[in-house]
């Protein structure tokens, strides 16, 4: 049966039209190149994980002890959630109150599923699965859904739980929710609304003009939707995600002096009605991060067949190396904000995902030069944790570019640059995983035990400063630890990412091997072994 290439007017109506095979969108590169099987075979031969992990028995016992310690920490947090907030989106770890923050469908419940499975918590997994079975995604708390967060936390979590357990209920729930979210893509361009009300069927933005959205929140569906199309043999999910790329590339031509001036270095904000960028200096932090991350990861998940993803990644990397990476006065390599019109020497913890993703790309592409750059960026990211007395880093930090005058900085900022090499812009910590994630990648890619030791050091800092009766709280000031005050916030990513990456740093390296899985931006592992020949 031949699948017709229909205009993308109402994506929800496309579901089920192509029940047989459909040539995947995105297989043709930016210059029209389609990968030959010899190219694909060459990439397939590139290992990601190291093969030199230690076989020393005493070190293996130490690692097993550490893994069990992390597992106990997870169980502590999970039991508090189960006792006081089971089925709710979150628990306030200080007041023990259940919180509705992601439509009341149980964000922590779903986001934690694959971590529970990986840790071998069979009883907890069975209880969670039964609770997930009862979720009705047609009803919510009355607030619009943030489409991006719904995808990475719920849909991604459900797909991963299915792939790890084989329980088709998870796939059924993922598909049901994805079908609802596809309605958010029913716009004049096919670029999704930022917010979607599942009960009224109306879209909006979180703040600002109603058709405003950002780069990460329009371009981070590719991984989950590609895999869902594979699992359901329904191309509509993949087509919806790739359509975003179609429009961005078609409606925006890089032009010096314009808001989009450097090829592959995309501004943060765009109008979903026109598909054009509006403003927001390019960066690798919040609002942009996972757009770039999914370029290379979806290419890998596709068995190296989505050539456009690779081309876009390589174009972006060329521009990022030229305009975003900046040497600080401490000689470390930082990730800044800017383009050919200038640089802002500020960064956030979200950017710290990039060293790990860049290291992954270097192995996929067998590119040692890029691995060297990734390592420099890792050292900078880790330094924001290592220099703090808590061994925990801040939400935002700034630096002084090498050769720049520091007269525009506050005296306190100059003092911190002298002390740490950077200054703390927002000194709080919300249990975010990005630094830990990148260190985990370097451990698995190199087999060097020092990276696992770094993660253990951070874990000790988290236990000492963040552990409370209700799980793990945030810190108001990483320079002060507990005495600076705690924040009653424990988002679902603590279970899906932070705990998972810490735990996997101490398990056997073949547990969720990077040669076998690709992690989503929410830390959900998808199997690389699912075959793809260009059709669904």
């Amino acid at each position: 049966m031949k699948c017709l290439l229909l205009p993308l007017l109402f994506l929800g109506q496309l579901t089920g039209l192509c029940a047989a095979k459909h040539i995947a969108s995105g297989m043709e590169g930016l210059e029209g190149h389609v990968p030959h099987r010899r190219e694909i075979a060459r990439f397939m031969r590139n290992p990601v994980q190291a093969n030199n992990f230690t076989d020393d028995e005493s070190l293996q016992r130490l690692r097993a002890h550490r893994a069990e310690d992390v597992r106990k920490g997870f169980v502590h947090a999970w039991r508090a959630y189960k006792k006081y907030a089971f089925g709710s989106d979150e628990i306030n770890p200080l007041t023990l109150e259940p919180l509705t923050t992601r439509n009341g469908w149980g964000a922590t419940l779903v986001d934690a599923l694959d971590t529970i499975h990986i840790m071998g918590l069979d009883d907890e997994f069975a209880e969670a699965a039964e609770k997930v079975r009862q979720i009705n995604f047609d009803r919510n708390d009355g607030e619009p859904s943030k489409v991006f967060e719904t995808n990475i936390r719920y849909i991604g979590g459900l797909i991963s739980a299915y792939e790890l357990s084989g329980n088709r209920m998870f796939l059924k729930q993922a598909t049901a929710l994805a079908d609802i979210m596809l309605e958010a893509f029913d716009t004049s361009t096919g670029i999704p609304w930022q917010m979607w009300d599942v009960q009224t069927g109306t879209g909006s933005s979180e703040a600002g003009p109603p058709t405003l959205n950002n780069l990460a929140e329009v371009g981070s569906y590719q991984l989950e939707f590609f895999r869902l199309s594979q699992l359901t043999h329904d191309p509509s999910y993949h087509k919806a995600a790739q359509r975003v790329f179609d429009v961005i590339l078609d409606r925006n031509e890089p032009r010096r002096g314009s808001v989009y001036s450097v090829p592959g270095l995309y501004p943060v904000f765009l109008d979903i009605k026109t598909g054009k960028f509006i403003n927001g200096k390019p960066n690798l932090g919040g609002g942009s991060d996972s757009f770039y991350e999914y370029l290379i990861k979806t290419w890998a998940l596709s068995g190296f067949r989505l050539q456009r993803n690779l081309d876009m990644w390589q174009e972006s990397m060329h521009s990022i190396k030229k305009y975003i990476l900046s040497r600080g006065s401490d000689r470390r390599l930082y990730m800044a904000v800017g383009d050919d019109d200038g640089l802002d020497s500020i960064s956030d913890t979200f950017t710290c995902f990039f060293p790990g993703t860049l290291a992954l790309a270097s192995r996929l592409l067998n590119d040692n030069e890029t691995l060297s750059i990734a390592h420099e960026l890792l050292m900078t990211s880790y330094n924001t944790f290592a220099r703090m007395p808590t061994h925990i880093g801040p939400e935002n930090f700034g630096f002084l570019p090498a050769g720049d005058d520091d007269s525009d900085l506050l005296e306190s900022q100059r003092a911190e640059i002298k002390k740490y090499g950077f200054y703390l812009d927002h000194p709080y910590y919300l249990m975010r995983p990005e630094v830990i994630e990148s260190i985990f990648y370097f451990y698995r890619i190199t087999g060097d035990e020092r990276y696992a030791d770094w993660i253990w050091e951070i874990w000790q800092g988290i236990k000492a400063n963040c552990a409370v009766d209700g799980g793990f709280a945030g810190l108001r000031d990483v320079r002060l630890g507990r005495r600076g005050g705690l924040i009653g916030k424990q988002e679902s990513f603590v279970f899906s990412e932070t705990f998972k990456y810490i735990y996997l740093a101490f398990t056997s390296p073949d547990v969720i091997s990077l040669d076998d899985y690709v992690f989503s931006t929410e830390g959900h592992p998808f199997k690389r072994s699912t075959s793809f020949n260009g059709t669904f």
Side-chain angles (χ1 to χ4, degrees), residues 74 78 81 106-118 125 128 153 157 161 492-497 500 524:
F74 178 92
W78 180 256
Y81 169 72
T108 293
L109 172 72
V110 176
D111 232 358
L113 285 168
D114 50 15
T115 307
I116 295 171
H117 190 278
I118 290 166
F125 188 78
R153 300 187 194 224
S492 65
F493 60 68
V494 175
F495 295 86
S496 69
E497 296 185 81
K500 185 183 285 112
H524 298 303

Side-chain angles (χ1 to χ4, degrees), residues 350-411:
F350 294 105
T351 65
C352 296
F353 87 94
F354 189 64
T357 296
L358 194 61
L360 171 67
S362 76
R363 300 299 293 144
L364 293 169
L365 295 165
N366 193 23
D367 179 359
N368 289 329
E369 179 183 350
T370 294
L371 183 60
S372 178
I373 294 171
H375 185 260
E376 281 203 76
L377 295 173
L378 177 74
M379 296 300 291
T380 302
S381 299
Y382 172 60
N383 189 55
T384 65
F385 275 56
R387 296 304 302 274
M388 295 297 105
T390 55
H391 302 295
I392 297 170
E395 180 82 355
N396 284 43
F397 53 93
F399 65 97
L400 180 67
D404 276 17
D405 189 297
D406 66 359
S407 59
D408 290 338
L409 297 177
L410 301 174
E411 181 59 38

